[in-house]
Amino acid sequence: MKFGQFDDVRKEYVINTPQTPYPWINYLGNEQFFGLISNTAGGYTFYRDARLRRLTRYRYNNIPLDTGGRYYYLRDHDTNDFWTPGWMPVKRDLDFYECRHGLGYTSITGERGGISVNQLAFIPLGYNGEVHRLTVKNTSSANKTVSLFSFAEFCLWNAQDDMTNFQRNLSTGEVEVQDSVIYHKTEYRERRNHYAFYSVNRKIDGFDTDRESFVGLYNGLHEPQVVTAGKASNSVASGWSPIGSHEVKLTLAPGEEQSLVFILGYVEVPEEDKWEAPGVINKKPALAMIEQFATDADVDHALEKLAAYWENLLSKYQINSNDDKLNRMVNIWNPYQCMVTFNMSRSASYFESGIGRGMGFRDSNQDLLGFVHQIPERAKERILDIAATQFEDGSAYHQYQPLTKRGNNEVGTGFNDDPLWLILGTSAYIKETGDTSILDEQVPFDSNPNNTATLFEHLNRSFYHVINNLGPHGLPLIGRADWNDCLNLNCFSKEPGESFQTTANIEGRVAESVFIAGLFVFVGPDFAELCRMRGLDAEANEAVSHINNMRATTLEHGFDGDWFLRAYDHYGEKIGSKENEEGQIFIEPQGMCVMAGIGVEEGLADKAMVSVKDRLDTKYGIVLQQPPYSKYYLNLGEISTYPPGYKENAGIFCHNNPWIMIAETVLGHGDRAFEVYSKIAPAYLEDISEVHRMEPYVYSQMIAGKDAVRHGEAKNSWLTGTAAWNYVAITQAILGIQADFNGLKVDPCIPAAWDGFEITRVFRGDTYVIKISNPGHVSKGVKSLTLDGAQVDGNVIPPVGDGAAHEVVVVLG
Ligand code: GLC
Ligand code: GLC
């Protein structure tokens, strides 16, 4: 069942009912200021850090779900009827409802009783505020007198404290109101130099800033007493819960339409300019921001700029094929999600509360893969930030805090896959841009500016961190965990509630990871190549010999007859083996080892892929392992804490399905690669939205596996490495356009039935229009390639570098 449809021309997803199977959200903002907004106008807004600078309050895990947002109540003074255009929170039946989630904006329209209200929300580029344009139209044949009541509930900045420390924060709330602007200034009197404001571009008929006065102590947001009464109470908050609400009265002739521009903004004021009079905040910066959007034309202009911004980002890779679903994933929604994930890391979604996790070392490096071609400069900055949290021995903080950019001590280090992702992220940046100067940047260890080395040296330490930490079989030691955060082989936790990621581990130097071995062989060649590019041939050769050893070791000790083993545990026993009762086969080493080419010549890679298909595949995607763990295993950790079929315990972890897609392309299996792709790509799941439940335009981290009670149901949409890896799998491995150190490589691996497709790729400043045809109906193999009519040997387009458009004709066969 569908709950909406794609509008590919406007690059929007159009939702036709407010009662989607779960709130379907969108993100506003690209730089410093961000908002999350659902199809019923729920969500919240923050400046840079969702925990420490949250502007508006949101109640996670509330009943009803998705409470708190930007609500505009429409009250008809003739009938006393009131409602909200996004349906929530009043939930009055609407004669018409539509939500359009677009690139960086959301437009919600509701109509009832002869009035139509459109609520458009976006964050203009370079602006620290959400702009809401409300368009109210009289669709009836009679005159109408209505009031519009705005509503936003302020968060007292620190979202964690806001929801817990009531003995203090119910006494700290402060506001000011002047003209049509409500200022939220809690804690500004002391150490804060920032405040929020909520304005509207016309004279108001009243306001409220005290939640209890507006809503009523025993009422819900569906029946605020001010709206019920039809008159603002002009309350001024003092402690308790400050809110912002304006009342604007409108008289509309039949067919008449009026629009209002509301702004929910954030201002920082230098210490010496904080006050305009004792106790009165300096409003100048807010008024200047408000002035920028005084008129509809200002709003239209900013929307055009936003559209042009996205147009430019998306233009870097565009496909034209016969498959609409593929086109919309590749051209619009997957790169959009990659950008959001890059911006947010794992901080704020409807599943990540915005108060918990910092930026992940491994996560951020992988997010880069899907984003680096859009704004390489930002990728570069991110790489340098991440690398600065590495230690001298090559190990790394697992997470760092975005505001301070320092490693997170609470989570610490010891995830032994982490360092390798830095090589992958950095290589992706250099392949995209050709900019090797990044390798010469001086980067601190452990954020200490007095202890630095070149980024290249950081990569060197990453590479040798693996070699310096090998276990009894010569495979990499796993440490706290590898990619799978929940496979905790040295943890042995018995305390309820103890964190598997941070609790003290035993000093184990036995547990080894076949996955890290695969990752080492996968990223190692890039490191060797970077050595060569720097003229370090001896170093390159040494790296290659380590890689070859690791490949041999993996085949000797990491293969179990029909598939790759997962690991050896603390006792040196096999994990992910036929010999195990549960957890006999895992997806991660099959994907990563075959991506690395291990066992391809020997025919073992093929065997591994067959085993994946036979044992892990389901109609909704490939599960993480089989059979699931049915009880808690002290020696395995968190993986065995989840009920069978969920999360890392045999859920369909959408992050690693693309590794199988890529692995299948290594073997030339284009049909199978695309089959795996289309099983989990959201646009292909639109028709089963009632099962899948999450947004049909973005990936979720997990879909419940076949052992789960609710097989096929997704959770944790938006912020997941799934976005980047699926983007890599489809654009690079399947469609086959790959940035490489010395040019743009064309190496598709597609379903044999495809006749061809066309890709426009902006690469190092030039635009390549690549026409690929498949007359012989093969899956893989470039028979010929011409660049502007001239034959090119091999399948790498050498960068032209003239900033112009070039035609590339590729024939497969
Ligand atoms: C989550 C984490 C990621 C980890 C994965 C598997 O997605 O963010 O770092 O690799 O889970 O445990
Ligand atoms: C927690 C979650 C796990 C997730 C990990 C990410 O351990 O339980 O599922 O993958 O965090 O770091």
Side-chain angles (χ1 to χ4, degrees):
M1 192 196 294
K2 300 208 302 183
F3 297 83
Q5 66 281 335
F6 288 92
D7 181 336
D8 296 329
V9 174
R10 293 170 60 160
K11 303 188 176 69
E12 294 171 340
Y13 192 78
V14 188
I15 301 168
N16 302 325
T17 166
Q19 296 185 66
T20 43
Y22 207 73
W24 285 359
I25 74 163
N26 193 14
Y27 283 82
L28 313 175
N30 302 73
E31 291 137 333
Q32 312 245 52
F33 195 79
F34 297 99
L36 285 69
I37 183 166
S38 70
N39 59 312
T40 59
Y44 59 94
T45 292
F46 61 94
Y47 173 73
R48 286 186 62 193
D49 186 314
R51 172 168 176 170
L52 299 175
R53 293 281 191 284
R54 195 172 301 190
L55 267 76
T56 55
R57 207 171 257 173
Y58 185 77
R59 290 179 183 75
Y60 277 92
N61 206 7
N62 197 56
I63 307 171
L65 200 65
D66 195 20
T67 304
R70 312 112 176 111
Y71 295 142
Y72 290 89
Y73 297 87
L74 195 289
R75 187 177 196 279
D76 185 328
H77 287 295
D78 303 321
T79 61
N80 294 339
D81 183 35
F82 67 90
W83 52 281
T84 31
W87 187 65
M88 283 283 273
V90 180
K91 297 203 288 182
R92 216 73 95 213
D93 288 343
L94 299 170
D95 301 330
F96 176 81
Y97 163 91
E98 183 182 87
C99 168
R100 291 177 168 266
H101 284 316
L103 305 178
Y105 66 89
T106 287
S107 168
I108 299 171
T109 308
E111 184 170 350
R112 181 180 160 93
I115 310 231
S116 152
V117 179
N118 173 260
Q119 167 177 3
L120 168 75
F122 74 110
I123 294 171
L125 293 169
Y127 192 73
N128 293 330
E130 261 189 37
V131 173
H132 304 159
R133 175 160 66 192
L134 273 286
T135 309
V136 185
K137 182 170 182 176
N138 181 355
T139 57
S140 78
S141 50
N143 286 331
K144 292 271 186 195
T145 310
V146 301
S147 277
L148 191 66
F149 294 91
S150 66
F151 175 82
E153 182 176 1
F154 293 113
C155 176
L156 306 183
W157 301 115
N158 179 332
Q160 164 86 23
D161 195 71
D162 186 70
M163 284 294 173
T164 47
N165 190 9
F166 302 109
Q167 62 77 25
R168 172 181 161 82
N169 64 33
L170 294 181
S171 294
T172 55
E174 289 190 291
V175 298
E176 282 181 38
V177 182
Q178 194 178 70
D179 303 325
S180 299
V181 191
I182 293 161
Y183 298 88
H184 174 229
K185 61 168 187 177
T186 300
E187 290 187 350
Y188 189 80
R189 64 167 58 245
E190 29 131 343
R191 290 154 297 175
R192 292 191 187 276
N193 66 344
H194 47 260
Y195 62 78
F197 66 87
Y198 192 19
S199 66
V200 58
N201 64 344
R202 69 160 80 190
K203 215 171 150 318
I204 56 176
D205 295 280
F207 62 86
D208 275 282
T209 65
D210 174 55
R211 189 181 77 198
E212 193 176 319
S213 309
F214 180 78
V215 181
L217 187 55
Y218 293 106
N219 288 4
L221 289 176
H222 62 292
E223 48 171 10
Q225 65 188 15
V226 156
V227 181
T228 316
K231 180 96 204 82
S233 79
N234 297 345
S235 59
V236 177
S238 174
W240 298 109
S241 294
I243 61 154
S245 174
H246 311 84
E247 181 189 354
V248 181
K249 238 187 198 155
L250 306 169
T251 325
L252 298 163
E256 187 186 346
E257 177 179 292
Q258 291 189 29
S259 66
L260 304 90
V261 180
F262 292 85
I263 298 171
L264 187 57
Y266 171 89
V267 162
E268 277 180 7
V269 193
E271 188 63 33
E272 58 282 10
D273 293 333
K274 275 178 75 170
W275 306 100
E276 69 186 38
V280 182
I281 63 173
N282 175 358
K283 306 187 176 60
K284 272 198 209 116
L287 294 174
M289 279 178 72
I290 293 166
E291 186 54 34
Q292 280 181 261
F293 292 97
T295 67
D296 274 331
D298 296 330
V299 173
D300 289 335
H301 187 59
L303 281 168
E304 280 161 25
K305 279 210 213 153
L306 188 63
Y309 172 84
W310 275 107
E311 199 64 42
N312 172 49
L313 292 184
L314 299 182
S315 71
K316 307 283 164 68
Y317 193 121
Q318 287 286 303
I319 183 178
N320 181 358
S321 81
N322 300 330
D323 181 344
D324 286 343
K325 297 182 172 111
L326 178 64
N327 294 344
R328 62 177 68 116
M329 284 313 309
V330 170
N331 294 343
I332 307 170
W333 295 99
N334 198 351
Y336 182 59
Q337 186 180 3
C338 286
M339 172 70 137
V340 170
T341 307
F342 179 82
N343 281 332
M344 297 284 126
S345 190
R346 306 296 174 269
S347 70
S349 72
Y350 269 29
F351 296 85
E352 300 279 9
S353 62
I355 57 178
R357 303 166 59 181
M359 315 270 283
F361 193 98
R362 117 168 32 103
D363 292 339
S364 297
N365 275 302
Q366 291 172 83
D367 291 346
L368 261 163
L369 305 177
F371 167 82
V372 62
H373 65 297
Q374 295 190 40
I375 314 181
E377 312 81 68
R378 288 190 61 201
K380 174 178 181 180
E381 189 189 325
R382 182 70 58 84
I383 290 168
L384 297 173
D385 285 350
I386 301 170
T389 66
Q390 193 176 25
F391 292 96
E392 276 183 86
D393 69 354
S395 64
Y397 275 112
H398 192 48
Q399 291 179 9
Y400 70 100
Q401 295 308 123
L403 268 187
T404 61
K405 297 191 174 171
R406 297 187 77 88
N408 187 343
N409 268 318
E410 281 162 36
V411 184
T413 165
F415 295 76
N416 283 349
D417 63 317
D418 272 335
L420 290 175
W421 300 109
L422 183 64
I423 300 180
L424 187 69
T426 307
S427 314
Y429 169 79
I430 295 173
K431 288 176 182 174
E432 180 64 34
T433 59
D435 169 24
T436 51
S437 74
I438 189 175
L439 295 172
D440 298 315
E441 298 267 356
Q442 287 290 324
V443 181
F445 290 110
D446 191 10
S447 305
N448 177 359
N450 300 318
N451 182 15
T452 68
T454 61
L455 179 63
F456 177 76
E457 181 54 26
H458 279 263
L459 302 190
N460 192 38
R461 307 266 173 116
S462 287
F463 186 88
Y464 283 98
H465 184 261
V466 174
I467 294 305
N468 295 336
N469 290 282
L470 299 177
H473 299 91
L475 292 163
L477 291 170
I478 196 167
R480 284 181 182 277
D482 58 25
W483 172 86
N484 190 332
D485 271 331
C486 299
L487 189 61
N488 316 114
L489 303 183
N490 294 309
C491 191
F492 292 85
S493 174
K494 281 187 174 160
E495 275 307 306
E498 197 168 66
S499 161
F500 288 93
Q501 276 76 46
T502 63
T503 192
N505 273 10
I506 51 170
E507 195 41 64
R509 292 195 69 87
V510 175
E512 298 166 295
S513 163
V514 176
F515 171 81
I516 300 181
L519 181 60
F520 182 80
V521 178
F522 181 64
V523 307
D526 281 345
F527 175 68
E529 185 60 30
L530 292 176
C531 291
R532 276 194 218 293
M533 287 161 75
R534 294 172 80 78
L536 302 172
D537 281 338
E539 285 79 354
N541 293 340
E542 194 189 332
V544 169
S545 83
H546 285 304
I547 297 164
N548 289 339
N549 285 341
M550 190 69 81
R551 184 181 293 111
T553 306
T554 306
L555 287 172
E556 191 183 341
H557 296 294
F559 203 78
D560 199 43
D562 289 303
W563 58 81
F564 291 93
L565 280 176
R566 179 64 179 85
Y568 287 92
D569 73 6
H570 171 69
Y571 306 107
E573 302 291 335
K574 292 175 182 171
I575 311 279
S577 156
K578 292 191 172 68
E579 295 165 19
N580 299 121
E581 214 175 296
E582 299 185 321
Q584 293 178 337
I585 170 170
F586 281 68
I587 190 173
E588 307 100 305
Q590 320 313 324
M592 193 49 78
C593 292
V594 177
M595 277 162 71
I598 303 175
V600 173
E601 282 167 29
E602 298 82 354
L604 302 180
D606 267 303
K607 266 193 174 178
M609 288 301 105
V610 170
S611 300
V612 166
K613 189 160 188 204
D614 289 349
R615 294 176 175 249
L616 299 179
D617 209 6
T618 78
K619 63 176 168 172
Y620 297 125
I622 302 170
V623 299
L624 195 141
Q625 99 278 22
Q626 279 294 296
Y629 295 114
S630 60
K631 55 178 200 275
Y632 178 55
Y633 291 80
L634 194 57
N635 61 324
L636 300 180
E638 186 166 0
I639 189 168
S640 59
T641 67
Y642 287 113
Y646 293 108
K647 295 280 282 183
E648 282 89 338
N649 190 14
I652 297 160
F653 223 85
C654 298
H655 184 140
N656 51 37
N657 276 236
W659 296 344
I660 300 301
M661 300 167 203
I662 301 170
E664 293 286 7
T665 66
V666 168
L667 301 173
H669 304 155
D671 282 283
R672 172 69 180 151
F674 193 74
E675 179 196 338
V676 178
Y677 173 76
S678 54
K679 268 187 188 170
I680 64 162
Y684 294 83
L685 307 179
E686 194 188 10
D687 286 330
I688 56 156
S689 288
E690 80 286 6
V691 178
H692 185 71
R693 295 189 63 195
M694 294 298 121
E695 296 91 334
Y697 41 90
V698 291
Y699 285 94
S700 297
Q701 181 202 51
M702 184 215 49
I703 299 171
K706 62 183 174 190
D707 309 289
V709 175
R710 313 182 65 148
H711 185 32
E713 181 187 70
K715 291 196 188 95
N716 203 359
S717 56
W718 283 97
L719 304 185
T720 158
T722 304
W725 272 109
N726 277 282
Y727 188 74
V728 170
I730 188 67
T731 61
Q732 299 182 24
I734 297 176
L735 300 172
I737 310 300
Q738 308 160 12
D740 211 337
F741 290 120
N742 47 6
L744 196 59
K745 190 165 166 188
V746 183
D747 192 16
C749 183
I750 55 174
W754 285 14
D755 293 323
F757 54 96
E758 185 182 303
I759 284 177
T760 305
R761 175 71 157 91
V762 178
F763 178 67
R764 301 191 196 173
D766 301 327
T767 303
Y768 299 93
V769 180
I770 308 168
K771 299 195 168 95
I772 298 171
S773 63
N774 188 22
H777 290 281
V778 299
S779 278
K780 194 173 172 132
V782 169
K783 197 162 98 187
S784 70
L785 188 155
T786 61
L787 171 63
D788 294 327
Q791 189 72 36
V792 172
D793 288 338
N795 60 349
V796 179
I797 307 167
V800 181
D802 61 0
H806 300 279
E807 197 190 47
V808 179
V809 177
V810 178
V811 181
L812 304 181

